[in-house]
Amino acid sequence: MSIDKALMDRSGGKCELCGSEDGLSAYEVAPKDEAIVICSTCAASIEEPTSNEKHWNCLHDSMWSTEPAVQVMAFRLLTQLGAQDQLDMLYLEDDVKSWAEEGLAEEKQEPTRDANGTILEEGDSVSIIKDLVVKGAGFTAKQGTTVKNIRMVPGDPTHIQGRVNGTMIFIISAFLKKL
C-alpha cells in the first residue's frame, strides 16, 4: 500500500510503532478504513509478534500516541504478546477499545483449570497444593503458599503466571487450588 502525503506528514516520516525511517509503508488497521505508517521490520512481524518480541519493546512509547489507529495496533500487539502490565496502563476510549478488540482473532482456547477442575480466571487467588522446585530461581514454592492476582498464559491452558517470594513464575495449574 502506498503512503499518501497526509499520512506521511502525520507520521513525520517515521514508523508510527517503532520510529524507524527504513522501508516505510502504509498498513490498514481493519476493520476501519484507517492506516498507519510502519517500517519493514514491523511489517514482517506484525502478524506473528511473538517471533520478534524484543522489537516490540517500542510499544512502550507508541502506546501513548494520540492517533487512535496507532493505539489500536499497540493494544492488539501487546495483547498478543501477553504484556498485561502495559495493557493495564493503556487507556483507550470506549469506541477505540471496541475497534481494537474487534480486530483480535478469536481463539477457541479451553479454560485453565485447577487440580479440582475449577476454572481459573485472571486476577484469581490460588493456593499451591504441593511443594514445587522453581528452576532457575533457587527456591521451593511451599505447599499452602497463596498466589494472588494470577495471570493466564496466552495459548497454554495448563499454566498460569503468578508471584511467589517476589518472583514472577509459571506454575502448572494442576498443582493449584482456587481460593
Side-chain angles (χ1 to χ4, degrees), residues 60 63-64 78 83-92:
H60 302 304
M63 68 187 238
W64 301 111
L78 289 169
Q84 192 62 44
D85 291 341
Q86 283 74 35
L87 285 169
D88 290 343
M89 289 188 291
L90 182 61
Y91 174 78
L92 299 176

Side-chain angles (χ1 to χ4, degrees), residues 10-11 13-21 24-29 35-47 49 54-65 67-78 80:
R10 184 190 78 204
S11 72
K14 297 180 179 178
C15 175
E16 292 183 275
L17 296 177
C18 73
S20 174
E21 297 177 358
L24 299 177
S25 63
Y27 180 84
E28 189 171 323
V29 184
I36 62 173
V37 175
I38 61 173
C39 66
S40 55
T41 306
C42 288
S45 57
I46 207 163
E47 296 302 321
K54 288 189 180 196
H55 174 73
W56 296 115
N57 286 334
C58 61
L59 294 174
H60 302 304
D61 294 328
S62 60
M63 68 187 238
W64 301 111
S65 172
E67 182 59 39
V70 176
Q71 294 174 345
V72 166
M73 284 309 302
F75 176 87
R76 290 177 183 173
L77 291 164
L78 289 169
Q80 291 176 329

Side-chain angles (χ1 to χ4, degrees), residues 28-35 68-69 72 76 95-96 98-100 102:
E28 189 171 323
V29 184
K32 290 192 177 182
D33 190 25
E34 292 190 36
V72 166
R76 290 177 183 173
D95 59 329
V96 175
S98 63
W99 174 18
E102 192 175 341

Side-chain angles (χ1 to χ4, degrees), residues 6-177:
L7 188 58
M8 188 57 99
D9 289 344
R10 184 190 78 204
S11 72
K14 297 180 179 178
C15 175
E16 292 183 275
L17 296 177
C18 73
S20 174
E21 297 177 358
D22 300 325
L24 299 177
S25 63
Y27 180 84
E28 189 171 323
V29 184
K32 290 192 177 182
D33 190 25
E34 292 190 36
I36 62 173
V37 175
I38 61 173
C39 66
S40 55
T41 306
C42 288
S45 57
I46 207 163
E47 296 302 321
E48 187 57 49
T50 55
S51 66
N52 191 3
E53 285 188 43
K54 288 189 180 196
H55 174 73
W56 296 115
N57 286 334
C58 61
L59 294 174
H60 302 304
D61 294 328
S62 60
M63 68 187 238
W64 301 111
S65 172
T66 57
E67 182 59 39
V70 176
Q71 294 174 345
V72 166
M73 284 309 302
F75 176 87
R76 290 177 183 173
L77 291 164
L78 289 169
T79 300
Q80 291 176 329
L81 292 166
Q84 192 62 44
D85 291 341
Q86 283 74 35
L87 285 169
D88 290 343
M89 289 188 291
L90 182 61
Y91 174 78
L92 299 176
E93 295 290 337
D94 291 338
D95 59 329
V96 175
K97 187 166 185 176
S98 63
W99 174 18
E101 290 171 340
E102 192 175 341
L104 286 174
E106 287 294 320
E107 294 181 17
K108 288 293 183 186
Q109 178 178 323
E110 66 179 76
T112 303
R113 298 182 183 271
D114 71 0
N116 298 325
T118 305
I119 295 176
L120 299 175
E121 296 177 2
E122 290 271 333
D124 284 347
S125 294
V126 295
S127 177
I128 298 174
I129 62 171
K130 174 184 174 184
D131 286 355
L132 302 172
V133 176
V134 180
K135 297 177 182 174
F139 69 90
T140 300
K142 298 291 186 184
Q143 177 180 352
T145 301
T146 298
V147 182
K148 296 179 181 178
N149 198 22
I150 64 169
R151 297 182 188 167
M152 298 297 112
V153 177
D156 185 0
T158 64
H159 287 79
I160 61 106
Q161 275 185 300
R163 237 176 243 292
V164 176
N165 295 345
T167 304
M168 184 64 77
I169 62 172
F170 288 88
I171 308 170
I172 297 173
S173 60
F175 299 128
L176 301 172
K177 177 177 72 171

